[in-house]
Amino acid sequence: MEKTLEKELQESLYIHIPLKPDMEKSLETLDLKKEILEEAVIWDGKGLTPWTFEGEGRAKVENGRLILKTGSRSNHWPGEEARSVNAPTGIYATFGSYEAKLNVKGLDLSKYNRLYFKIRPNCKGMHSPCVRAAFINNGTVKIPDAYSREGWNCINLKNEEWNTCTWEIDSIAHDQVEEVSFIVHRYGREVSGSEELDYELCDIRLQKVKPNVVNGWQCQEETAVYSTTGYDIKGRKLSVANTKEKNFAIVDLEKGETVYSGQVETVNVFHGSFQVLDFSSLKTEGTYKIVMGEFESSPFQIAEHIFETTVWKLINFLFGERCGCPVPGKHGTCHQDVIARHREVSVVYAGGWHDAADVSQESIQTCETAHALMSVARAVRSDSPVLAARLLEEAQWGADFILRTRFGDGYRASGAGMRRWTDNFIGNFDDVEARVSNNSFVNFTMAACEADLYDGFYQFDKALAWKCLEAAKEDFAFAYERFLRIGVESYYMMEHAHGSALSQYYAAALWAASLLYQYTKDSQYVLKIHEMADNLLLCQETGEGDLPMKGFFYRDEAHSQIMHSAHQCREHLFAESLASACKALPEDSERGKWENALKLYGRYLKGLMKYNAPYGMLPAGIYEMREIYDKEAFRRVHEDRVVFEEEIENYKEQLENGISIGKDCYVKAFPAWFSFRGNSGVLLSMGKSATVIGKYFDDEELMQIGREQLYWTLGKNPFGQSLIYGEGERYGQMYTALLGETVGEITVGVETKANLDEPYWPPANIATYREVWTTPPTRWLWIATDLM
């Protein structure tokens, strides 16, 4: 670990005070240094004439600046949120918005590709002010788009100082821009916040600059992309380039000398022709840089414990996302008036971690996150006791929330959609009603996590460990009884886990039963292991379907549709459950069948890798054309407002833009999706499958697949950007809404443009692709568990 980070960790009390990012490595700082080729001032600062306003607030012009004032909250719901799809019911709503709209009709802005402006928030007591820049394009391509994913950028600001903001719009249609607007969202008043929000805005321009790469597989010309944090001393070390150079060198920065020289290899693969730099033979720990012609990379490390740095930063992010707890420099105690009611009792639903930028909560997310933290702690306990202790402390925060929001009869407080700071007073109009549900898939998953938390907590807090195991036994019993009676549960989109397929129910139940038997030796679980394993194996493609690939899992035994995810993803449950069964019953006569299923699935993952070469990002998997007509599966995978009948042709086109492998089957680099886009959760969940199987069979090829998913998030992608804020190099702002930027946040992930099947990463902070969730860091930690 770098000495600078060690010092920062000590000063943060091992992250009881959030870390600060190195802004010199941020994309925003780098973009401000670009040469401006042309520009046009689009407001002269002389009056309100070109402006119109919407929402509750007031505006004036003073000293060439537009001054916007509005309340942080109100005592009523707005009649309508500015450009919002949300009904003003108080459910998942803000207190409205105040929008300043600048009329630019008649101006030819098509040659410019960057919006530039300066803004100063004067919001007393507010930790994380933001402004949402937006524009309307009325050309051939309409902006905003149908799902409001293009044409917006929520920019995080530093309070009480001038912020210079830029937004590159080169990849977004802007041939007929009619309006540029600035929106202040009234997200409520945190504990320290004032009643009024005050913003000053000036120097609004459109500029022309050399754009960053935001679309496609090729990185910037004459550059190379790599894991900007570094590489594990084990495994392959590759960089992808777009160059005419024939040679490259690796320079040891401590010695100041070249320690490796190699040839640039050109490879012709499915996505085109690429250059690859292979320095896998370098196995000495140190700090290095790549030199290739005039290109020199930033420093990166090769180390045995390379992933520890990122783990510390993920802890930092999760600490900042704590709900119901004051976090220094981030927010005060929050959401004490979010109430879950069941029968004749109520519980305050504040705790665990906000699971997204909108400060919503889902209990299953918190439970999985606690499990991931504990898993890493268990893996590093002997080598890194301080890190292990801090991981267990953070995991305990989540476990406490999960245990105290169980009602003891199968029902639990399961989630709450918020999008606002509530006032913490119970009984007035801004309270939030938390959801309460009894869902067998959720309870199976909770039971598995709780059982494993018992093992992880046993030496840390025996009393808590005991309770986790008791809860696991009860939750499994509730889930099993309900599953036999109901089967797959009805679907509610706000509870993302409710979209789970029957095969995932089998896997979650198998995982839980295997861990419960391992920790209790209660023979009742042996029967459950066999029952659920038999059912799960019937959902696997073993070759009978005569398809071009095999080893993957379907949604059910009927093989009606291949298992796919478009946002959250729990595909790792298949591997996790079968491996756990093998470990729980090593002498069982069925173990050979379970191991064969794991091997088959592992070969499927290996077979996918060639389709995205030379990048290590796992493709989303194999798709069959027939599945586009399955309305029930569609409804469970995609957001409610995505209308099946309206998207069939788009669905078909997305599959056809994948790689045809015969028999009406396609390998998709990215999922088929519509509103919710971003693949971090998908590739990391699949990467966890690879490391689970790789660790079980000591298969280095599968372990490398896991590493490659982490490298993708750290910059080995076409954009050369770390997708983890404050980690590595060239990290950009993300959609964090209420909480501001936090070191260690990970976005929902890289998306695709329209129906194409290639990476798209525009620099606009908006849901969902650039939104921060706890899903990606949880799955990142799960992979790291097997690699550390």
Side-chain angles (χ1 to χ4, degrees):
M1 185 187 301
E2 293 180 344
K3 291 183 178 179
T4 302
L5 179 58
E6 288 183 0
K7 184 174 183 291
E8 290 174 352
L9 290 173
Q10 291 170 3
E11 292 173 349
S12 74
L13 306 179
Y14 292 94
I15 313 175
H16 294 88
I17 301 170
L19 300 171
K20 294 181 179 179
D22 182 347
M23 295 308 298
E24 290 302 308
K25 296 179 180 179
S26 76
L27 200 61
E28 287 71 32
T29 299
L30 296 171
D31 283 347
L32 280 173
K33 297 176 182 178
K34 286 187 175 183
E35 178 186 0
I36 300 167
L37 304 175
E38 291 186 65
E39 68 177 350
V41 175
I42 59 173
W43 180 54
D44 59 13
K46 292 182 179 179
L48 288 174
T49 301
W51 293 94
T52 56
F53 303 90
E54 185 177 325
E56 298 178 27
R58 56 197 186 278
K60 65 179 180 179
V61 173
E62 188 175 277
N63 298 323
R65 294 166 291 170
L66 178 67
I67 298 176
L68 305 174
K69 294 180 182 289
T70 186
S72 58
R73 53 174 287 124
S74 63
N75 58 6
H76 63 277
W77 299 121
E80 183 179 338
E81 290 193 60
R83 295 199 206 160
S84 175
V85 297
N86 299 298
T89 61
I91 298 173
Y92 195 66
T94 71
F95 296 98
S97 306
Y98 187 49
E99 181 175 11
K101 301 187 283 188
L102 177 62
N103 184 344
V104 294
K105 285 182 181 179
L107 297 180
D108 181 8
L109 304 176
S110 59
K111 65 180 177 180
Y112 304 105
N113 59 12
R114 184 167 87 169
L115 175 66
Y116 171 102
F117 62 94
K118 293 181 180 178
I119 188 168
R120 178 166 65 183
N122 300 299
C123 305
K124 299 297 183 184
M126 191 175 190
H127 286 104
S128 304
C130 63
V131 66
R132 183 173 292 200
F135 69 90
I136 290 177
N137 188 71
N138 201 24
T140 305
V141 177
K142 308 297 182 186
I143 299 294
D145 65 297
Y147 296 112
S148 289
R149 305 305 188 195
E150 297 263 51
W152 311 81
N153 187 4
C154 188
I155 301 172
N156 297 299
L157 307 171
K158 294 181 179 178
N159 203 4
E160 300 185 283
E161 62 181 82
W162 281 104
N163 297 257
T164 301
C165 302
T166 63
W167 173 21
E168 291 189 15
I169 59 172
D170 194 71
S171 65
I172 307 171
H174 59 283
D175 57 313
Q176 195 174 323
V177 177
E178 295 188 351
E179 176 188 297
V180 176
S181 62
F182 303 88
I183 306 165
V184 176
H185 285 292
R186 292 144 56 91
Y187 285 129
R189 179 165 52 86
E190 55 176 312
V191 169
S192 62
S194 69
E195 294 283 354
E196 189 164 89
L197 306 178
D198 186 334
Y199 290 78
E200 299 174 77
L201 180 67
C202 68
D203 202 10
I204 307 169
R205 309 173 184 219
L206 265 290
Q207 300 175 329
K208 182 178 180 179
V209 296
K210 182 180 178 180
N212 297 322
V213 170
V214 299
N215 199 47
W217 293 100
Q218 291 287 357
C219 63
Q220 195 76 256
E221 289 183 0
E222 296 307 326
T223 67
V225 295
Y226 54 97
S227 173
T228 61
T229 296
Y231 294 83
D232 193 337
I233 203 165
K234 305 184 198 73
R236 301 189 73 192
K237 303 166 189 67
L238 304 178
S239 169
V240 180
N242 180 3
T243 183
K244 295 177 182 177
E245 296 291 334
K246 302 300 182 185
N247 301 288
F248 74 97
I250 305 295
V251 175
D252 186 318
L253 294 180
E254 293 178 7
K255 296 178 181 177
E257 61 184 42
T258 297
V259 294
Y260 182 86
S261 296
Q263 290 187 334
V264 176
E265 179 187 2
T266 295
V267 295
N268 296 302
V269 288
F270 287 100
H271 299 306
S273 180
F274 300 84
Q275 287 71 52
V276 176
L277 319 181
D278 188 341
F279 47 101
S280 302
S281 61
L282 191 55
K283 298 182 183 297
T284 304
E285 290 199 347
T287 302
Y288 302 92
K289 70 176 179 180
I290 299 169
V291 177
M292 182 186 69
E294 294 184 1
F295 170 78
E296 291 189 10
S297 74
S298 295
F300 62 89
Q301 291 190 311
I302 294 175
E304 184 177 0
H305 302 295
I306 190 64
F307 300 120
E308 277 195 13
T309 296
T310 311
V311 169
W312 274 112
K313 293 181 180 180
L314 298 185
I315 293 171
N316 181 81
F317 167 63
L318 293 169
F319 177 65
E321 289 285 327
R322 282 190 179 189
C323 178
C325 172
V327 179
K330 299 299 291 183
H331 61 81
T333 300
C334 58
H335 298 118
Q336 299 299 300
D337 48 354
V338 180
I339 308 298
R341 296 178 173 88
H342 178 58
R343 295 184 175 171
E344 296 179 356
V345 298
S346 302
V347 64
V348 173
Y349 189 70
W353 301 280
H354 301 119
D355 66 21
D358 55 17
V359 298
S360 291
Q361 250 278 32
E362 271 191 89
S363 295
I364 192 169
Q365 294 276 89
T366 282
C367 190
E368 289 174 325
T369 300
H371 179 268
L373 289 161
M374 179 280 301
S375 298
V376 180
R378 190 165 52 187
V380 303
R381 184 175 287 152
S382 58
D383 293 334
S384 304
V386 174
L387 174 58
R390 183 62 187 87
L391 285 161
L392 287 172
E393 179 197 1
E394 198 64 28
Q396 184 180 29
W397 175 258
D400 174 85
F401 175 70
I402 292 306
L403 294 174
R404 65 180 173 80
T405 53
R406 298 172 66 251
F407 288 106
D409 59 355
Y411 286 84
R412 65 191 334 127
S414 57
M418 288 174 273
R419 287 188 75 223
R420 63 183 182 267
W421 298 120
T422 55
D423 64 6
N424 291 325
F425 292 109
I426 298 172
N428 60 9
F429 91 109
D430 83 332
D431 292 357
V432 175
E433 186 79 17
R435 301 184 296 272
V436 173
S437 63
N438 181 359
N439 179 282
S440 54
F441 174 80
V442 170
N443 277 333
F444 278 137
T445 304
M446 294 286 200
C449 291
E450 289 160 347
D452 219 18
L453 285 168
Y454 157 79
D455 179 66
F457 283 144
Y458 190 76
Q459 295 178 352
F460 179 74
D461 185 333
K462 285 186 174 62
L464 177 63
W466 173 84
K467 183 59 179 177
C468 286
L469 189 58
E470 290 301 298
K473 292 188 286 187
E474 292 175 5
D475 286 342
F476 183 88
F478 294 136
Y480 185 76
E481 181 278 329
R482 185 177 175 88
F483 179 60
L484 291 184
R485 181 164 46 88
I486 294 176
V488 175
E489 306 270 1
S490 59
Y491 177 57
Y492 177 50
M493 181 62 200
M494 290 296 287
E495 300 277 358
H496 292 278
H498 286 197
S500 300
L502 179 59
S503 57
Q504 292 177 297
Y505 281 72
Y506 295 148
L510 175 59
W511 187 27
S514 299
L515 291 175
L516 282 166
Y517 179 72
Q518 184 176 334
Y519 299 136
T520 67
K521 299 305 179 186
D522 187 333
S523 60
Q524 68 165 307
Y525 297 114
V526 176
L527 295 175
K528 307 296 193 301
I529 290 171
H530 280 275
E531 176 188 1
M532 295 302 170
D534 287 346
N535 290 337
L536 179 57
L537 293 187
L538 292 174
C539 301
Q540 188 176 32
E541 175 58 62
T542 58
E544 293 87 349
D546 194 29
L547 297 179
M549 301 185 80
K550 58 184 178 180
F552 54 84
F553 288 85
Y554 292 93
R555 293 184 67 87
D556 54 31
E557 300 98 324
H559 294 196
S560 59
Q561 187 175 107
I562 298 170
M563 183 66 221
H564 298 302
S565 302
H567 181 32
Q568 281 198 11
C569 183
R570 295 180 172 85
E571 186 159 330
H572 60 276
L573 287 174
F574 300 133
E576 190 80 82
S577 62
L578 288 166
S580 295
C582 293
K583 294 172 189 174
L585 300 173
E587 305 302 323
D588 196 278
S589 61
E590 297 289 287
R591 193 189 75 177
K593 289 170 57 178
W594 306 336
E595 288 185 336
N596 284 336
L598 285 170
K599 290 176 182 177
L600 196 60
Y601 185 37
R603 286 196 289 271
Y604 168 65
L605 295 174
K606 292 177 183 179
L608 286 175
M609 291 298 288
K610 66 183 178 183
Y611 293 103
N612 278 351
Y615 294 97
M617 186 195 88
L618 265 164
I622 180 176
Y623 285 70
E624 289 185 274
M625 184 58 73
R626 68 183 174 107
E627 71 187 55
I628 71 173
Y629 303 107
D630 190 332
K631 185 173 183 178
E632 174 60 20
F634 184 97
R635 191 175 64 86
R636 287 182 172 270
V637 173
H638 302 288
E639 188 191 3
D640 285 348
R641 61 174 164 162
V642 179
V643 180
F644 171 74
E645 290 78 8
E646 294 177 0
E647 297 292 4
I648 287 179
E649 287 305 311
N650 288 322
Y651 199 161
K652 180 175 183 289
E653 187 176 336
Q654 287 190 35
L655 265 57
E656 290 172 340
N657 282 334
I659 297 169
S660 175
I661 56 174
K663 300 192 176 180
D664 241 7
C665 292
Y666 301 82
V667 169
K668 289 272 294 157
F670 291 85
W673 47 22
F674 306 96
S675 174
F676 279 11
R677 298 187 181 214
N679 75 330
S680 289
V682 177
L683 67 91
L684 292 171
S685 180
M686 294 175 71
K688 174 61 176 176
S689 300
T691 58
V692 166
I693 303 170
K695 191 171 183 180
Y696 184 83
F697 290 113
D698 193 22
D699 186 324
E700 173 56 27
E701 184 178 353
L702 286 168
M703 299 302 281
Q704 183 63 25
I705 290 175
R707 292 187 196 99
E708 290 293 344
Q709 308 323 300
L710 305 191
Y711 295 158
W712 172 272
T713 67
L714 292 168
K716 192 185 168 190
N717 53 59
F719 322 107
Q721 294 179 34
S722 173
L723 308 183
I724 306 178
Y725 192 77
E727 174 66 326
E729 302 276 342
R730 289 174 52 80
Y731 37 81
Q733 281 200 2
M734 301 177 191
Y735 180 54
T736 63
L738 283 70
L739 291 163
E741 301 297 346
T742 307
V743 169
E745 67 197 22
I746 310 182
T747 70
V748 169
V750 175
E751 62 166 342
T752 57
K753 190 175 182 68
N755 292 329
L756 299 176
D757 194 31
E758 59 185 29
Y760 180 47
W761 188 238
N765 303 323
I766 194 65
T768 54
Y769 74 103
R770 216 171 176 102
E771 184 178 4
V772 299
W773 278 59
T774 57
T775 300
T778 294
R779 282 131 185 85
W780 206 103
L781 289 167
W782 270 331
I783 294 176
T785 297
D786 297 327
L787 298 173
M788 296 178 74

